[in-house]
């Protein structure tokens, strides 16, 4: 008896939008307690166009990491409160009134033009699907 296997597609990522304009930066959302707690520790190093958006978060640490990251702290309406540039391993950063944090490859915040006051969002589309 032949069994039919379902066709699986590669996972889709969201794309980061900065002030309403889509960028080439792929975003993975960390929504669950476990995903937020682990953050980037259980992942391969970020590429230039990858990021991790940690919801319900106002502080981060880079203990156990081997590379620097840019840390974008977001407040209400996902407005950038502060960008901590090239945070080295074994460091901690926090921001009062932050509601979430976007972690990016070091230098990526400047590359994508993310500055204090920018409004960030994400969008899922077929353009955002990568294998």
């Amino acid at each position: 008896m032949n069994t039919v296997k379902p066709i699986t597609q590669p996972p889709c990522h969201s794309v980061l939008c900065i002030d309403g304009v889509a960028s080439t930066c792929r975003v993975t959302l960390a929504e669950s307690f476990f995903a937020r707690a682990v953050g980037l520790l259980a992942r391969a190093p970020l590429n230039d166009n990858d990021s991790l958006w940690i919801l319900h978060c106002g502080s981060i640490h880079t203990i156990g990491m081997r590379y620097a990251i840019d840390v974008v702290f977001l407040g209400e309406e996902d407005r950038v409160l502060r960008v901590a540039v090239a945070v080295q391993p074994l460091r901690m950063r926090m921001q009062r009134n932050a509601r979430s944090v976007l972690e990016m490859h070091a230098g990526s915040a400047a590359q994508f033009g993310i500055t204090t006051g920018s409004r960030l969002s994400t969008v899922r589309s077929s353009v955002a699907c990568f294998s």
Side-chain angles (χ1 to χ4, degrees):
M1 180 174 172
N2 292 340
T3 58
V4 177
K5 293 183 179 179
I7 297 173
T8 58
Q9 297 179 347
C12 290
H13 298 273
S14 296
V15 170
L16 182 67
C17 296
I18 303 150
D19 294 322
V21 179
S23 71
T24 58
C25 184
R26 295 176 292 225
V27 178
T28 300
L29 290 176
E31 299 177 89
S32 71
F33 173 80
F34 181 75
R36 292 189 328 259
V38 172
L40 293 174
L41 292 175
R43 300 174 184 267
L46 291 171
N47 294 320
D48 291 346
N49 286 1
D50 290 327
S51 63
L52 178 66
W53 193 323
I54 306 171
L55 303 177
H56 312 292
C57 177
S59 63
I60 61 94
H61 70 82
T62 55
I63 297 167
M65 295 183 62
R66 297 182 185 149
Y67 56 95
I69 59 172
D70 285 351
V71 181
V72 181
F73 292 96
L74 302 159
E76 289 190 33
E77 298 181 4
D78 297 324
R79 293 246 178 233
V80 176
L81 299 173
R82 177 170 69 118
V83 179
V85 178
V87 178
Q88 297 297 315
L90 299 173
R91 304 293 193 273
M92 293 182 70
R93 294 292 182 268
M94 63 178 44
Q95 177 64 43
R96 180 178 291 204
N97 299 324
R99 306 249 193 252
S100 61
V101 172
L102 183 70
E103 295 181 338
M104 311 176 82
H105 186 270
S108 292
Q111 173 189 339
F112 290 110
I114 299 172
T115 59
T116 301
S118 297
R119 185 173 185 278
L120 305 186
S121 59
T122 61
V123 64
R124 283 179 74 102
S125 71
S126 59
V127 176
C129 296
F130 300 93
S131 57

